[in-house]
Each structure stands twice: as structure tokens, then as C-alpha cells.
Amino acid sequence: MFVDILEEITPRFPPIRGHGLSVKEMLAATLRFMAEGSYQHGVGTDFSVAIAQPTFSILFDKTLKILVEVLCGKWISLEMAPEEQQDARLHFYAKSGIPGIVMSVDGTHIKNIAPVQDRDQHHNRKGFYSLNGPLACDHKMTIRFVDATYSGANHDSHIWNVQDSFTQHGVGTDFSVAIAQPTFSIVFDKTLKILEEVLCGKWISLEMAPEEQQEARLHFYAKSGIPGIVMSVDGTHIKIIAPVHDRDQHYNRKGFYSLNALLVCDHKMTIRFVDARYSGANHDSHIWN
């Protein structure tokens, strides 16, 4: 296994100058540190890979980035072949009695040293500083997804709500319309604007013919006993990924990031008006006013 990894990552390193450390030594030191989680008891005292701490800090960062680039996309993936999915369903059904499960997910706290900045954001409910990393595993206990970018104070449910990698299926994985994400972002924006210009004015309108108004009044009166109603209005939260700017303005009272969209529907549940410009922290009454 070590030799296989070494062969894959070696081309990514620049040529070694003079008596510099070899790729083999850098990989060995990196793996030793990750296995033990300590510099003093491993890399710093091992005579075969003894490296000064300043030097190790540089090589560890470099080696780790190359390992992520070369290996993670190859070995850590949410995609499963149909046969794997079937094996997983049978395994989890035998364990839990719940049909349709192909993977299990949970958060795990990775202990770290108290950071200089945002210490309170890293102090978790268990009483130590950490990163909270969601992991998804299949029926063979193989890690299929991991993300250690969240500080320890974040609850599992919050990370689940804002983490969209578990649901990125469709355009990115559909072989018939597979499109790279940067290209799709441009295509999506352009197409959405054209759809809005061409269709919204035609199909989404507050105007109603007299016959429709009378039909709506009868429908709502039968439902509520209140005369004169032709449409109903409410707000709905559209879940989004946490934005870079104004995050607190988009975090709603239900515990996730969203846009609060105002919708008006008629008696046939046809949308007559929609406005999704408001961030999730805005209350329905504020938007209405």
C-alpha cells in the first residue's frame, strides 16, 4: 500500500535539490504523524525519519495537499455501482429492518489545539476543542465522504442542513447531461434569466378573469367561511448553502440558511405571485409590510 501511494504522488513533487528529503521520507513522516497525532512521540524522535519541527510543518502541509488531490477523488466517492447499492440495502435492512439504506452518516469530533481565533466556535459540547467532521460510510465501513471544515461548536444537525454534498446528484453525475460545475453555473444563470423573461409574465400573474374570481370566492368561502377571498398568501423558506456574506441574515428561525419567499396562490394551487429576494432571517410579517 505504501509503495502504491508513493508511486502515485511522486510525480507531483518538484525535483529534490542537494540533500533534501526524498518523497519517500516525506510520505513516511506524514503518515506517521497522522497515525499518532503527535510530533514529539513519532516524527521528532524516530531515528529513521527524524525531522526538525519547522521543516516537518512545511513538508506536512505540502504532502497532505498532494495526497488529497491525488487520492481522495479516486478512493472517497459517494457514487456506487448498482450491485454495490443492492448489497448495501440488504446489509442495512438485515441490521435495522429499514429498507432502502445504502450508507450511514454521522459526525465525529476531531480534537485539536485551541486556535488563536474563534476559540469559542471550536469548543464543543463535550468540553474540548475540535473540528466536527461529517462522515458517510457504506456497508463495508468504507468512508465514502468526509468534510472536516466545520468547527466543533457546530451541531451535527446544522452541518447536515448546510452540507449539500450528500445530495449532489443529477447534472454532475448523469452521464447523459454531465456538465462541469463552473460551466453549469454559467449555463444555469443564463437559462434561468431567459426562462424568467419569456415565461414568468405569461404564466405567473395576479390578474384574474371575473369568472375565475367568482369560482375562487366560492372555493375559499366553502373552506373558511370567510367571504371575498380570491387568493391565499404565505412565506416559504427555500434552503440554500450558507452564503459568504451576511450569513446571519440568511439563518432562519427554523435552524438553517434560506431565502424567505413570498408566494400567492389561487384556489387551484396555481402560483400567482412569487418574490424570493428576502433573506431567511426576515419574518413573513416584515416581508408583507
Side-chain angles (χ1 to χ4, degrees):
M1 179 64 75
F2 180 87
V3 174
D4 292 338
I5 295 173
L6 181 63
E7 289 176 352
E8 287 198 57
I9 68 172
T10 297
R12 296 296 189 99
F13 284 85
I16 299 168
R17 297 178 182 177
H19 299 287
L21 293 166
S22 67
V23 178
K24 182 178 180 180
E25 290 172 323
M26 288 189 280
L27 177 61
T30 299
L31 294 178
R32 179 68 179 270
F33 177 81
M34 288 194 292
E36 297 189 348
S38 171
Y39 172 81
Q40 274 75 16
H41 296 294
V43 178
T45 57
D46 192 330
F47 70 91
S48 59
V49 291
I51 302 168
Q53 190 162 358
T55 305
F56 175 73
S57 297
I58 297 170
L59 76 84
F60 179 74
D61 182 66
K62 182 195 299 183
T63 308
L64 198 61
K65 286 179 179 177
I66 293 174
L67 285 170
V68 170
E69 291 172 5
V70 175
L71 299 179
C72 285
K74 181 178 179 181
W75 296 105
I76 302 177
S77 173
L78 286 169
E79 295 182 18
M80 298 179 77
E83 298 79 12
E84 288 183 299
Q85 292 184 30
Q86 182 61 21
D87 288 344
R89 290 190 188 98
L90 292 173
H91 173 87
F92 285 115
Y93 183 76
K95 290 282 186 180
S96 66
I98 303 172
I101 300 174
V102 294
M103 296 184 199
S104 57
V105 61
D106 196 9
T108 184
H109 286 279
I110 304 164
K111 186 181 289 187
N112 63 4
I113 299 170
V116 176
Q117 298 176 328
D118 301 324
R119 292 174 68 126
D120 59 322
Q121 294 297 315
H122 289 79
H123 196 262
N124 64 40
R125 60 189 174 82
K126 298 184 178 182
F128 59 89
Y129 294 97
S130 70
L131 295 173
N132 191 357
L135 287 94
C137 294
D138 62 17
H139 57 300
K140 297 178 181 178
M141 295 296 289
T142 302
I143 294 175
R144 292 286 190 160
F145 174 85
V146 61
D147 184 355
T149 58
Y150 298 93
S151 53
N154 286 289
H155 194 272
D156 291 353
S157 61
H158 168 68
I159 296 172
W160 174 262
N161 286 330
V162 300
Q163 173 56 254
D164 67 328
S165 296
F166 299 113
T167 56
Q168 283 182 347
H169 303 296
V171 177
T173 57
D174 190 335
F175 70 90
S176 61
V177 292
I179 303 171
Q181 190 165 352
T183 305
F184 175 73
S185 297
I186 299 169
V187 169
F188 180 76
D189 184 64
K190 184 190 298 183
T191 307
L192 198 62
K193 287 179 179 177
I194 294 172
L195 286 171
E196 185 178 357
E197 292 171 5
V198 175
L199 300 179
C200 286
K202 181 179 180 181
W203 297 106
I204 302 178
S205 173
L206 287 169
E207 295 183 13
M208 297 181 76
E211 298 81 10
E212 286 183 299
Q213 292 184 31
Q214 181 59 24
E215 187 179 338
R217 289 190 188 97
L218 293 173
H219 173 86
F220 285 116
Y221 182 76
K223 290 283 186 180
S224 66
I226 303 173
I229 300 175
V230 294
M231 298 183 195
S232 58
V233 60
D234 197 8
T236 184
H237 286 277
I238 303 169
K239 187 182 290 187
I240 60 171
I241 300 170
V244 177
H245 303 293
D246 301 324
R247 293 176 69 136
D248 58 325
Q249 293 298 314
H250 290 79
Y251 195 74
N252 64 41
R253 60 189 174 81
K254 298 184 178 182
F256 58 90
Y257 294 96
S258 69
L259 295 173
N260 193 355
L262 181 71
L263 285 97
V264 178
C265 294
D266 63 17
H267 57 299
K268 297 178 181 178
M269 296 297 288
T270 301
I271 295 175
R272 291 286 188 160
F273 174 84
V274 61
D275 185 350
R277 295 176 298 171
Y278 299 94
S279 53
N282 286 288
H283 195 272
D284 291 354
S285 61
H286 169 70
I287 297 172
W288 174 259
N289 290 329

